[in-house]
Amino acid sequence: MAATERLTLAVRGMHCAACVGKVEGALRRVPGVENATVNLATERATVGFDAGRADVGALQSAVAAAGYELVEPPAPGVDTSEAEQAERDREQRRARLRFIAGAVLSAPLLLGGMADVFPWAPALLRDPWVQLVLATPVQFWVGGPFHRGFLRDLRHRSASMSTLVSLGTNAAYFFSLAVTLWPHAFRSVGAMPYYETSAVVITLVVLGRWLETRARGRTSEAIRRLVGLAPRTARVVRNGRDVDVATDAVLAGDLIRIRPGERIPVDGVIVEGASSVDESMLTGESLPVEKHVESPVVAGTVNGTGSFVFRGTRVGRDTTLARITRLVEEAQGSRAPIQRLADRVAAVFVPVVLVLAALTFAGWLAFGPEPRLLTALTTTVAVLVIACPCAMGLATPTAIMVATGKGAEHGILVKSAAALEVLHRVDTIVFDKTGTLTVGHAELTDVVVVGPGTEDDALALAAAAEQGSEHPLGEAIVRRAKERGLALPPVAEFTSVPGQGIDALAPDGRVLLGNRTLMDMRGIDVIAVEDRVAKLQAEGKTVVYLAFAGQMLALLAAADVMKPEAPAVVQRLKRLGLEGVMLTGDNRRTAEAIARQAGIERVIAEVLPEDKAGEIERLAIAGHRVAMVGDGVNDAPALARAEVGIAMGSGTDVAIEAADVTLMRGDLHGVVAAVDLSRKTIRVIKQNLIWAFGYNVVLIPVAAGLLYPVWGVLLSPMLAGAAMAFSSVSVVTNSLRLKRWRPDNEEESHGG
Amino acid sequence: MAVDPVCKMTVEPAKAAAQSQYKGESYYFCAVGCKQKFDREPDKYLAGGGSPMSGH
């Protein structure tokens, strides 16, 4: 089997949705590449390739040939993100500098060029030569990136926003230059220089770019915050001495010393000392977790007041924290169908706009009023500038990015953008029972005393017999006795009877604790309790019989109890129009008892582990859109098969890998929150697309001058540039509204 | 004290490993095996002597 390697790499030089398609295409054409997705908002490419047939060098040269830059694969951890952040900051500063220069130079151009609006403008500013001096740096330095992008596109026979901006502004600039050089020829037909048009368009587009880089920087914070959870250095014990070592350089097997209040650098197991550790940043569990020798510790969590030494087991890119970070990164880099639609439209859009611009030019030249060339040029510039697809390219990625970051903050890790898009339309949520709807281990629910003595006496006797038992039911009994602080009577001669229970001797009688078979074998009369047993079993409980000195003493019932929030969650889902279904391998009676308590009407019980996925498929064939919530290894296939798999963070790694969404808190309210987040995200994406498309579609005819014959309305290229910049900004800002999202029913506050 | 009717061992009723009811009488055993033998052919062991202990 060929090893498929998966890398997420930074891509530089992309500005438009059209670029995304080009980079993806270039990557996919590299032999050995199985899939490649590029995200404009994060400026990242995620590539899956056969490590035997392709390497990073091949990918880089393919991307370079397409006119972009694929950045060297990351050294793991903090450094990468910091280098990226530094690069982002530099880019942001450059964009700001360009914008400021553009604004300073364009302002006098605007004053001088629009003398009708600003009659007080000094005459000097109306001098075309002065205007030329002001406009030239804007055109070629501030607007430089667009022209370079245009030339790059020309070489690759493709088109993007840069094509449009460069064409439009150059048309305006060179037209004005001609007017300046040969004033008599042009002025005779009433032509005026339009330096201010090109300068202001470039300045406004650069402003949009700058705001975009700011927004992009902000929405990527989630990842950086995750990465920042791990400390940079670790105190490693080497040759009996403590040495500070960069976290990246810690090896599996190193001994690491942790002092009070420090963050844990890598995953490992405690070998010396004890403490309590705050793991809330990973699990959302607010209570510190007690740790002693052999307890696992996880990178990024915070030590309490104790100190300890632990042995690193998973380091570098293998720590839980690094894996979670990659989950979020992959989600932010993966693309969803609705986004592909936006991208496809953008790629088609550019040539269509070029054709429209040509038609506009030709139309005005043929039928327009005098001066024909001037009006034709002006309208063509407007059409070219209005049509930048940037806002479209950002519509989906920004929304998905903000939403996944926000989700992660509330313990909902979304692995793929597609999941976030699909989740909003599921109509059926299938819950695994054990560990998902229930707490996952047996709790003692009833003690029914039928002989002499109190409940506590019976419990103490049972606990004494079950001491050291590894049976889950025995553990539940011992736990309860400890909680009640009961003194256990001394017992001896424990005998575990396989398949039946326990036989032990107390000072004044024999203790028998086990099932019906044990009682029968020992001749204990159970007729008197049969009704009680039947009733408890109907409630889905497991019943053990306790006999003492030849007599039935008590019945102890235990059950895997339902999570307390389950009924509320099922109710909330119902209000959202989602049906809850229970899927379990347990017997029907136990399953139905829990389902009744949770308010779930549909129960699929007694399902073999390998058939769980089949049941999901059956629901899908019946026309349901199914999300599956589970935690066990046996749920993994069903999680993968469902349209959206949701794993409980308390679950197994296998389940988490198979699922699309992981709820880091074991809390079922996360299911409702995830559905809600998905619905809100979709709404924002649709709004974004309407903003972007609507503005392009509506303004192009106006820019082309179609309204001119009726109302004499023409869109000035300046207004077009402003409208475009603000459309990009509206889309980004609209996406940022998702930052205000909170789960409805968040009971506990953060870090509490 | 009672005597196991099968193996004739002395058994303390409260600590007997098993017990049986037969014709209104309680019998106590040192082990499950004895009870099983007794339950199959109680009369054989009762006829063979040993004194049943009256229950309760």
PDB file of all heavy atoms in Angstrom, chain A residues 348-370:
ATOM      1  N   VAL A 348     -15.361  31.737 -14.194  1.00  0.00           N
ATOM      2  CA  VAL A 348     -16.060  32.006 -15.447  1.00  0.00           C
ATOM      3  C   VAL A 348     -16.290  33.502 -15.609  1.00  0.00           C
ATOM      4  O   VAL A 348     -16.343  34.035 -16.708  1.00  0.00           O
ATOM      5  CB  VAL A 348     -17.419  31.258 -15.470  1.00  0.00           C
ATOM      6  CG1 VAL A 348     -18.215  31.616 -16.721  1.00  0.00           C
ATOM      7  CG2 VAL A 348     -17.198  29.760 -15.392  1.00  0.00           C
ATOM      8  N   PHE A 349     -16.419  34.158 -14.462  1.00  0.00           N
ATOM      9  CA  PHE A 349     -16.822  35.553 -14.421  1.00  0.00           C
ATOM     10  C   PHE A 349     -15.866  36.476 -15.170  1.00  0.00           C
ATOM     11  O   PHE A 349     -16.299  37.356 -15.917  1.00  0.00           O
ATOM     12  CB  PHE A 349     -16.897  35.963 -12.950  1.00  0.00           C
ATOM     13  CG  PHE A 349     -17.701  37.184 -12.710  1.00  0.00           C
ATOM     14  CD1 PHE A 349     -19.069  37.165 -12.914  1.00  0.00           C
ATOM     15  CD2 PHE A 349     -17.107  38.350 -12.267  1.00  0.00           C
ATOM     16  CE1 PHE A 349     -19.822  38.280 -12.677  1.00  0.00           C
ATOM     17  CE2 PHE A 349     -17.861  39.473 -12.042  1.00  0.00           C
ATOM     18  CZ  PHE A 349     -19.220  39.444 -12.238  1.00  0.00           C
ATOM     19  N   VAL A 350     -14.567  36.265 -14.977  1.00  0.00           N
ATOM     20  CA  VAL A 350     -13.575  37.187 -15.535  1.00  0.00           C
ATOM     21  C   VAL A 350     -13.671  37.280 -17.053  1.00  0.00           C
ATOM     22  O   VAL A 350     -13.805  38.381 -17.593  1.00  0.00           O
ATOM     23  CB  VAL A 350     -12.160  36.803 -15.055  1.00  0.00           C
ATOM     24  CG1 VAL A 350     -11.122  37.616 -15.795  1.00  0.00           C
ATOM     25  CG2 VAL A 350     -12.048  37.029 -13.554  1.00  0.00           C
ATOM     26  N   PRO A 351     -13.626  36.156 -17.781  1.00  0.00           N
ATOM     27  CA  PRO A 351     -13.753  36.284 -19.238  1.00  0.00           C
ATOM     28  C   PRO A 351     -15.074  36.905 -19.664  1.00  0.00           C
ATOM     29  O   PRO A 351     -15.101  37.712 -20.609  1.00  0.00           O
ATOM     30  CB  PRO A 351     -13.659  34.836 -19.741  1.00  0.00           C
ATOM     31  CG  PRO A 351     -13.406  33.972 -18.567  1.00  0.00           C
ATOM     32  CD  PRO A 351     -13.324  34.803 -17.351  1.00  0.00           C
ATOM     33  N   VAL A 352     -16.152  36.575 -18.955  1.00  0.00           N
ATOM     34  CA  VAL A 352     -17.456  37.151 -19.305  1.00  0.00           C
ATOM     35  C   VAL A 352     -17.392  38.667 -19.175  1.00  0.00           C
ATOM     36  O   VAL A 352     -17.857  39.408 -20.049  1.00  0.00           O
ATOM     37  CB  VAL A 352     -18.567  36.581 -18.386  1.00  0.00           C
ATOM     38  CG1 VAL A 352     -19.856  37.381 -18.546  1.00  0.00           C
ATOM     39  CG2 VAL A 352     -18.814  35.110 -18.704  1.00  0.00           C
ATOM     40  N   VAL A 353     -16.775  39.115 -18.072  1.00  0.00           N
ATOM     41  CA  VAL A 353     -16.667  40.555 -17.849  1.00  0.00           C
ATOM     42  C   VAL A 353     -15.826  41.206 -18.951  1.00  0.00           C
ATOM     43  O   VAL A 353     -16.157  42.289 -19.436  1.00  0.00           O
ATOM     44  CB  VAL A 353     -16.069  40.833 -16.466  1.00  0.00           C
ATOM     45  CG1 VAL A 353     -15.588  42.269 -16.366  1.00  0.00           C
ATOM     46  CG2 VAL A 353     -17.099  40.538 -15.399  1.00  0.00           C
ATOM     47  N   LEU A 354     -14.765  40.519 -19.361  1.00  0.00           N
ATOM     48  CA  LEU A 354     -13.922  41.074 -20.427  1.00  0.00           C
ATOM     49  C   LEU A 354     -14.717  41.221 -21.718  1.00  0.00           C
ATOM     50  O   LEU A 354     -14.617  42.231 -22.416  1.00  0.00           O
ATOM     51  CB  LEU A 354     -12.694  40.179 -20.656  1.00  0.00           C
ATOM     52  CG  LEU A 354     -11.614  40.295 -19.579  1.00  0.00           C
ATOM     53  CD1 LEU A 354     -10.489  39.309 -19.843  1.00  0.00           C
ATOM     54  CD2 LEU A 354     -11.066  41.719 -19.519  1.00  0.00           C
ATOM     55  N   VAL A 355     -15.547  40.222 -21.983  1.00  0.00           N
ATOM     56  CA  VAL A 355     -16.375  40.291 -23.192  1.00  0.00           C
ATOM     57  C   VAL A 355     -17.359  41.447 -23.065  1.00  0.00           C
ATOM     58  O   VAL A 355     -17.542  42.235 -24.003  1.00  0.00           O
ATOM     59  CB  VAL A 355     -17.117  38.949 -23.418  1.00  0.00           C
ATOM     60  CG1 VAL A 355     -18.185  39.106 -24.491  1.00  0.00           C
ATOM     61  CG2 VAL A 355     -16.124  37.850 -23.788  1.00  0.00           C
ATOM     62  N   LEU A 356     -17.986  41.558 -21.881  1.00  0.00           N
ATOM     63  CA  LEU A 356     -18.941  42.645 -21.666  1.00  0.00           C
ATOM     64  C   LEU A 356     -18.260  44.000 -21.840  1.00  0.00           C
ATOM     65  O   LEU A 356     -18.828  44.923 -22.420  1.00  0.00           O
ATOM     66  CB  LEU A 356     -19.555  42.551 -20.262  1.00  0.00           C
ATOM     67  CG  LEU A 356     -20.614  41.457 -20.061  1.00  0.00           C
ATOM     68  CD1 LEU A 356     -21.088  41.442 -18.620  1.00  0.00           C
ATOM     69  CD2 LEU A 356     -21.778  41.681 -21.018  1.00  0.00           C
ATOM     70  N   ALA A 357     -17.016  44.094 -21.311  1.00  0.00           N
ATOM     71  CA  ALA A 357     -16.276  45.355 -21.420  1.00  0.00           C
ATOM     72  C   ALA A 357     -16.039  45.683 -22.894  1.00  0.00           C
ATOM     73  O   ALA A 357     -16.206  46.830 -23.331  1.00  0.00           O
ATOM     74  CB  ALA A 357     -14.957  45.253 -20.669  1.00  0.00           C
ATOM     75  N   ALA A 358     -15.680  44.655 -23.657  1.00  0.00           N
ATOM     76  CA  ALA A 358     -15.427  44.859 -25.089  1.00  0.00           C
ATOM     77  C   ALA A 358     -16.704  45.305 -25.786  1.00  0.00           C
ATOM     78  O   ALA A 358     -16.703  46.236 -26.597  1.00  0.00           O
ATOM     79  CB  ALA A 358     -14.902  43.569 -25.712  1.00  0.00           C
ATOM     80  N   LEU A 359     -17.836  44.651 -25.441  1.00  0.00           N
ATOM     81  CA  LEU A 359     -19.119  45.014 -26.048  1.00  0.00           C
ATOM     82  C   LEU A 359     -19.492  46.443 -25.696  1.00  0.00           C
ATOM     83  O   LEU A 359     -19.984  47.200 -26.529  1.00  0.00           O
ATOM     84  CB  LEU A 359     -20.229  44.060 -25.557  1.00  0.00           C
ATOM     85  CG  LEU A 359     -20.220  42.649 -26.152  1.00  0.00           C
ATOM     86  CD1 LEU A 359     -21.321  41.812 -25.531  1.00  0.00           C
ATOM     87  CD2 LEU A 359     -20.384  42.722 -27.677  1.00  0.00           C
ATOM     88  N   THR A 360     -19.233  46.796 -24.415  1.00  0.00           N
ATOM     89  CA  THR A 360     -19.538  48.149 -23.971  1.00  0.00           C
ATOM     90  C   THR A 360     -18.769  49.163 -24.801  1.00  0.00           C
ATOM     91  O   THR A 360     -19.325  50.145 -25.296  1.00  0.00           O
ATOM     92  CB  THR A 360     -19.155  48.309 -22.486  1.00  0.00           C
ATOM     93  OG1 THR A 360     -19.841  47.307 -21.743  1.00  0.00           O
ATOM     94  CG2 THR A 360     -19.537  49.673 -21.962  1.00  0.00           C
ATOM     95  N   PHE A 361     -17.462  48.873 -24.910  1.00  0.00           N
ATOM     96  CA  PHE A 361     -16.600  49.783 -25.664  1.00  0.00           C
ATOM     97  C   PHE A 361     -17.117  49.928 -27.092  1.00  0.00           C
ATOM     98  O   PHE A 361     -17.314  51.042 -27.593  1.00  0.00           O
ATOM     99  CB  PHE A 361     -15.163  49.255 -25.659  1.00  0.00           C
ATOM    100  CG  PHE A 361     -14.178  50.223 -26.231  1.00  0.00           C
ATOM    101  CD1 PHE A 361     -13.708  51.288 -25.461  1.00  0.00           C
ATOM    102  CD2 PHE A 361     -13.713  50.081 -27.528  1.00  0.00           C
ATOM    103  CE1 PHE A 361     -12.803  52.189 -25.983  1.00  0.00           C
ATOM    104  CE2 PHE A 361     -12.802  50.981 -28.058  1.00  0.00           C
ATOM    105  CZ  PHE A 361     -12.348  52.031 -27.280  1.00  0.00           C
ATOM    106  N   ALA A 362     -17.408  48.784 -27.702  1.00  0.00           N
ATOM    107  CA  ALA A 362     -17.855  48.790 -29.088  1.00  0.00           C
ATOM    108  C   ALA A 362     -19.203  49.500 -29.219  1.00  0.00           C
ATOM    109  O   ALA A 362     -19.406  50.314 -30.131  1.00  0.00           O
ATOM    110  CB  ALA A 362     -17.954  47.361 -29.616  1.00  0.00           C
ATOM    111  N   GLY A 363     -20.094  49.223 -28.290  1.00  0.00           N
ATOM    112  CA  GLY A 363     -21.437  49.792 -28.328  1.00  0.00           C
ATOM    113  C   GLY A 363     -21.397  51.308 -28.256  1.00  0.00           C
ATOM    114  O   GLY A 363     -22.044  52.005 -29.044  1.00  0.00           O
ATOM    115  N   TRP A 364     -20.607  51.817 -27.258  1.00  0.00           N
ATOM    116  CA  TRP A 364     -20.545  53.266 -27.101  1.00  0.00           C
ATOM    117  C   TRP A 364     -19.840  53.927 -28.281  1.00  0.00           C
ATOM    118  O   TRP A 364     -20.191  55.030 -28.677  1.00  0.00           O
ATOM    119  CB  TRP A 364     -19.836  53.623 -25.795  1.00  0.00           C
ATOM    120  CG  TRP A 364     -20.740  53.470 -24.609  1.00  0.00           C
ATOM    121  CD1 TRP A 364     -20.898  52.366 -23.862  1.00  0.00           C
ATOM    122  CD2 TRP A 364     -21.625  54.453 -24.084  1.00  0.00           C
ATOM    123  NE1 TRP A 364     -21.827  52.571 -22.885  1.00  0.00           N
ATOM    124  CE2 TRP A 364     -22.287  53.855 -22.989  1.00  0.00           C
ATOM    125  CE3 TRP A 364     -21.925  55.772 -24.432  1.00  0.00           C
ATOM    126  CZ2 TRP A 364     -23.234  54.522 -22.241  1.00  0.00           C
ATOM    127  CZ3 TRP A 364     -22.867  56.446 -23.671  1.00  0.00           C
ATOM    128  CH2 TRP A 364     -23.521  55.830 -22.596  1.00  0.00           C
ATOM    129  N   LEU A 365     -18.858  53.211 -28.797  1.00  0.00           N
ATOM    130  CA  LEU A 365     -18.134  53.743 -29.942  1.00  0.00           C
ATOM    131  C   LEU A 365     -19.067  53.847 -31.140  1.00  0.00           C
ATOM    132  O   LEU A 365     -19.029  54.801 -31.913  1.00  0.00           O
ATOM    133  CB  LEU A 365     -16.946  52.825 -30.261  1.00  0.00           C
ATOM    134  CG  LEU A 365     -15.751  53.488 -30.930  1.00  0.00           C
ATOM    135  CD1 LEU A 365     -15.225  54.636 -30.081  1.00  0.00           C
ATOM    136  CD2 LEU A 365     -14.657  52.447 -31.154  1.00  0.00           C
ATOM    137  N   ALA A 366     -19.959  52.882 -31.269  1.00  0.00           N
ATOM    138  CA  ALA A 366     -20.840  52.837 -32.433  1.00  0.00           C
ATOM    139  C   ALA A 366     -22.045  53.760 -32.276  1.00  0.00           C
ATOM    140  O   ALA A 366     -22.408  54.478 -33.200  1.00  0.00           O
ATOM    141  CB  ALA A 366     -21.292  51.404 -32.681  1.00  0.00           C
ATOM    142  N   PHE A 367     -22.669  53.703 -31.066  1.00  0.00           N
ATOM    143  CA  PHE A 367     -23.951  54.402 -30.935  1.00  0.00           C
ATOM    144  C   PHE A 367     -23.943  55.537 -29.916  1.00  0.00           C
ATOM    145  O   PHE A 367     -24.927  56.226 -29.771  1.00  0.00           O
ATOM    146  CB  PHE A 367     -25.046  53.401 -30.522  1.00  0.00           C
ATOM    147  CG  PHE A 367     -25.070  52.175 -31.382  1.00  0.00           C
ATOM    148  CD1 PHE A 367     -24.662  50.950 -30.895  1.00  0.00           C
ATOM    149  CD2 PHE A 367     -25.512  52.270 -32.712  1.00  0.00           C
ATOM    150  CE1 PHE A 367     -24.691  49.825 -31.701  1.00  0.00           C
ATOM    151  CE2 PHE A 367     -25.538  51.140 -33.518  1.00  0.00           C
ATOM    152  CZ  PHE A 367     -25.124  49.911 -33.014  1.00  0.00           C
ATOM    153  N   GLY A 368     -22.840  55.708 -29.187  1.00  0.00           N
ATOM    154  CA  GLY A 368     -22.828  56.672 -28.089  1.00  0.00           C
ATOM    155  C   GLY A 368     -22.804  58.108 -28.579  1.00  0.00           C
ATOM    156  O   GLY A 368     -22.552  58.386 -29.758  1.00  0.00           O
ATOM    157  N   PRO A 369     -23.063  59.033 -27.654  1.00  0.00           N
ATOM    158  CA  PRO A 369     -22.980  60.451 -27.985  1.00  0.00           C
ATOM    159  C   PRO A 369     -21.530  60.885 -28.097  1.00  0.00           C
ATOM    160  O   PRO A 369     -20.637  60.212 -27.588  1.00  0.00           O
ATOM    161  CB  PRO A 369     -23.656  61.121 -26.780  1.00  0.00           C
ATOM    162  CG  PRO A 369     -23.443  60.154 -25.641  1.00  0.00           C
ATOM    163  CD  PRO A 369     -23.386  58.788 -26.250  1.00  0.00           C
ATOM    164  N   GLU A 370     -21.288  62.000 -28.732  1.00  0.00           N
ATOM    165  CA  GLU A 370     -19.923  62.530 -28.809  1.00  0.00           C
ATOM    166  C   GLU A 370     -19.528  63.080 -27.459  1.00  0.00           C
ATOM    167  O   GLU A 370     -20.408  63.555 -26.719  1.00  0.00           O
ATOM    168  CB  GLU A 370     -19.878  63.641 -29.859  1.00  0.00           C
ATOM    169  CG  GLU A 370     -20.097  63.170 -31.283  1.00  0.00           C
ATOM    170  CD  GLU A 370     -19.014  62.208 -31.773  1.00  0.00           C
ATOM    171  OE1 GLU A 370     -17.912  62.181 -31.188  1.00  0.00           O
ATOM    172  OE2 GLU A 370     -19.286  61.481 -32.741  1.00  0.00           O
TER     173      GLU A 370
END
